[in-house]
Amino acid sequence: MAIHEECGVFGIYDMTGRNVAGDIYCALTALQHRGQESAGISVCDTHGPMGNISTKKGMGLVSEVFTKETIEGQKGNLGVGHVRYSTTGGSRVENAQPIAMNYIKGSLALVHNGNIMNAAQLKENQMYRGQAHYTSSDTEILAYEIISERTKCGCIEDAVKLASQRLRGGYACLIISPRKLIGVRDPYGIKPLIMGKRGDSYMLASESAAIVSSGGEVIRDIKPGEIITVTKDGVKSDHIPLDVKPAHCVFEYIYFARVDSVIDGVSVYSSRVRAGELLAKYSSAEADLVIGVPDSGLAAAKGYADESGIPFALAFHKNSYVGRSFIKPTDSERSDAVRMKLSVTPGIVAGKRVVLIDDSIVRGTTMRKIVAMLREAGATEVHVRVSSPPFLYPCYYGTDVPATGQLIAAEHSVEEVCKNIGADSLAYLRLEDLSEVTFGLPVGSACLDSNCPVS
Ligand code: SF4
């Protein structure tokens, strides 16, 4: 699998006045799988002077950007953090988040996950107003939209509501103004956002795993189009007045999210197991062993094994310490990188017919290498089963699914892909099974069927 989620966000307001930078660090580490190119934290003290927001960000993993000293130096009981994997705007420190800005009525810091499809048009209007300039990032454009409205509104949450009505796309956005934590989720609920609590702290996060890792308890998911505002007086909820149907990103369940997260009431683990069961039901294979590509293929492999009665085995060791730099642009470099990241445990597959489960096939390069590694390790047959339908279209909501021309399934039949990756047979999850995989949750699937939910 080689597509990437763009970002993870986390925000926290501690009512007792305790510093929160350490909590944000823990939560961002729990969200590190959502982006490894840059990390950042903004904090402010709700009892201090208005406008004093401290921001630190840089390129690399959370543990590379922050030290004990920098975390201890960021004082404040209200804050937001961000981890980023970039597509829009490229991999540059100027695009790292949070974005902190001062304006005539105050200051804010903002982080977001997702993609604003009409950002270019908004930027043009902002340039005309003298706000944005040519190099402004999408995050800055979002901030300028809110600031424009703030000059006309009595409070920042009303400004967020007005600005959100102009945004088109999938996003989960967190904002701190010096006395408030605000979270907003796009009206389709494409990107996840969830609220939790620990003692007198309220938290907002991309995934429940970040809340739990920070010692908190999940309260509930933020609804599609909901705006949550946390102040010293508690939590209030408002809605973006757009009446559209939810279209949650199905790939959160298939691949992006951590297996221990629960998103919109659906356990990621259960969803992956169900996908495996459905694959076994509709795409059975004569085999001796079911194995999964770690990490996201493992739960689906367990589901396949449970449904088929074929024994499950852990055939791969995954080296989790291979950094982002291993992701190479060319096919041959990508293929070498697979060997760095995955190895086959000797003796497990030798002389066996195996069912190999992975969450998706993008270009085919990675899968071709994995199949070859299994044959080198002695597997007599390799039957590939994919726990998602074929990728046929790019994603416009903040995930770097490549252009159609690079998607192997868009250019070739199932038989051709099977031959290309060197497998004995190949089958995908059926498109009509997606709603069963998410237990009835309404999901979007534009990268699979071109049905774009955003008008
Ligand atoms: S197009 Fe695909 S990857 Fe993008 S948000 Fe929709 S389901 Fe998720």
Side-chain angles (χ1 to χ4, degrees):
M1 179 67 179
I3 63 166
H4 302 278
E5 179 53 74
E6 266 199 52
C7 301
V9 297
F10 181 79
I12 179 167
Y13 187 158
D14 187 282
M15 306 287 174
T16 63
R18 213 172 55 85
N19 288 332
V20 294
D23 295 319
I24 300 174
Y25 179 96
C26 288
L28 293 184
T29 306
L31 293 173
Q32 190 77 81
H33 59 288
R34 299 183 74 88
Q36 298 96 41
E37 291 200 356
S38 69
I41 294 175
S42 286
V43 294
C44 63
D45 181 351
T46 59
H47 306 293
M50 292 285 265
N52 276 2
I53 295 178
S54 150
T55 299
K56 167 133 183 64
K57 56 190 174 180
M59 302 306 287
L61 302 174
V62 179
S63 59
E64 293 165 340
V65 175
F66 295 97
T67 61
K68 189 168 177 285
E69 288 69 35
T70 53
I71 291 294
E72 283 173 359
Q74 279 200 288
K75 306 272 189 222
N77 61 318
L78 170 63
V80 285
H82 189 262
V83 286
R84 179 170 198 263
Y85 173 82
S86 72
T87 52
T88 327
S91 178
R92 302 197 310 267
V93 73
E94 306 86 77
N95 290 322
Q97 301 180 34
I99 292 290
M101 284 186 183
N102 291 313
Y103 59 101
I104 202 144
K105 279 194 172 178
S107 57
L108 59 78
L110 183 148
V111 291
H112 82 105
N113 166 33
N115 188 35
I116 310 299
M117 293 159 75
N118 59 337
Q121 188 195 329
L122 295 171
K123 188 197 275 193
E124 208 171 289
N125 298 340
Q126 291 173 359
M127 285 168 77
Y128 182 72
R129 294 198 297 261
Q131 284 179 304
H133 33 86
Y134 186 65
T135 54
S136 294
S137 66
D138 279 15
T139 324
E140 286 170 310
I141 292 163
L142 257 175
Y144 286 133
E145 285 302 305
I146 295 165
I147 288 169
S148 302
E149 296 299 343
R150 180 69 182 95
T151 53
K152 301 174 221 157
C153 296
C155 61
I156 183 134
E157 52 271 36
D158 285 351
V160 170
K161 183 175 177 178
L162 286 172
S164 301
Q165 290 171 51
R166 288 199 291 276
L167 307 179
R168 293 286 171 270
Y171 56 88
C173 179
L174 300 179
I175 302 135
I176 50 170
S177 75
R179 303 284 188 261
K180 293 171 182 172
L181 169 63
I182 299 164
V184 54
R185 191 174 181 193
D186 70 80
Y188 305 88
I190 294 173
K191 298 294 171 186
L193 192 61
I194 191 160
M195 180 163 55
K197 198 168 188 303
R198 187 196 59 205
D200 291 316
S201 299
Y202 280 95
M203 305 168 178
L204 292 166
S206 293
E207 289 184 36
S208 60
I211 290 170
V212 175
S213 301
S214 308
E217 281 172 32
V218 167
I219 300 176
R220 67 173 176 87
D221 293 278
I222 306 307
K223 297 186 195 102
E226 187 173 11
I227 302 167
I228 285 285
T229 306
V230 185
T231 68
K232 66 176 174 31
D233 301 320
V235 178
K236 81 179 183 189
S237 164
D238 199 354
H239 280 88
I240 304 166
L242 276 183
D243 191 16
V244 295
K245 289 201 178 91
H248 305 286
C249 172
V250 73
F251 270 88
E252 291 290 345
Y253 300 96
I254 292 168
Y255 169 70
F256 300 142
R258 272 174 55 151
V259 74
D260 55 341
S261 280
V262 177
I263 297 176
D264 289 308
V266 175
S267 148
V268 172
Y269 173 78
S270 303
S271 172
R272 288 180 190 166
V273 170
R274 187 73 193 119
E277 289 168 355
L278 290 163
L279 269 174
K281 190 167 167 190
Y282 297 113
S283 304
S284 60
E286 290 283 317
D288 308 306
L289 218 51
V290 181
I291 60 175
V293 178
D295 297 315
S296 42
L298 292 176
K302 184 186 178 303
Y304 194 103
D306 289 350
E307 177 72 21
S308 64
I310 303 169
F312 168 79
L314 291 168
F316 295 102
H317 169 74
K318 181 181 167 189
N319 183 347
S320 304
Y321 301 100
V322 179
R324 284 288 308 173
S325 56
F326 93 95
I327 293 176
K328 306 288 187 187
T330 68
D331 272 5
S332 72
E333 286 172 320
R334 228 178 257 122
S335 179
D336 290 344
V338 178
R339 279 196 188 276
M340 280 177 70
K341 192 143 195 174
L342 278 185
S343 52
V344 183
T345 311
I348 303 282
V349 300
K352 301 272 181 11
R353 300 168 300 167
V354 299
V355 174
L356 170 68
I357 313 276
D358 200 1
D359 50 68
S360 58
I361 299 177
V362 184
R363 296 173 180 84
T365 324
T366 303
M367 184 55 82
R368 196 180 316 131
K369 179 57 92 180
I370 293 172
V371 172
M373 283 162 61
L374 289 170
R375 293 206 191 278
E376 282 165 29
T380 54
E381 291 176 21
V382 182
H383 301 275
V384 175
R385 297 293 179 266
V386 183
S387 59
S388 67
F391 266 128
L392 299 175
Y393 307 96
C395 168
Y396 298 105
Y397 313 108
T399 304
D400 77 332
V401 179
T404 301
Q406 293 178 51
L407 296 169
I408 192 167
E411 303 285 310
H412 301 280
S413 68
V414 173
E415 292 71 31
E416 285 168 344
V417 177
C418 181
K419 197 167 170 206
N420 183 296
I421 61 176
D424 292 283
S425 73
L426 168 67
Y428 295 84
L429 186 77
R430 305 179 318 167
L431 204 52
E432 59 264 43
D433 291 334
L434 280 184
S435 68
E436 200 171 327
V437 163
T438 51
F439 302 96
L441 191 77
V443 287
S445 49
C447 54
L448 311 172
D449 60 11
S450 83
N451 284 331
C452 181
V454 180
S455 51

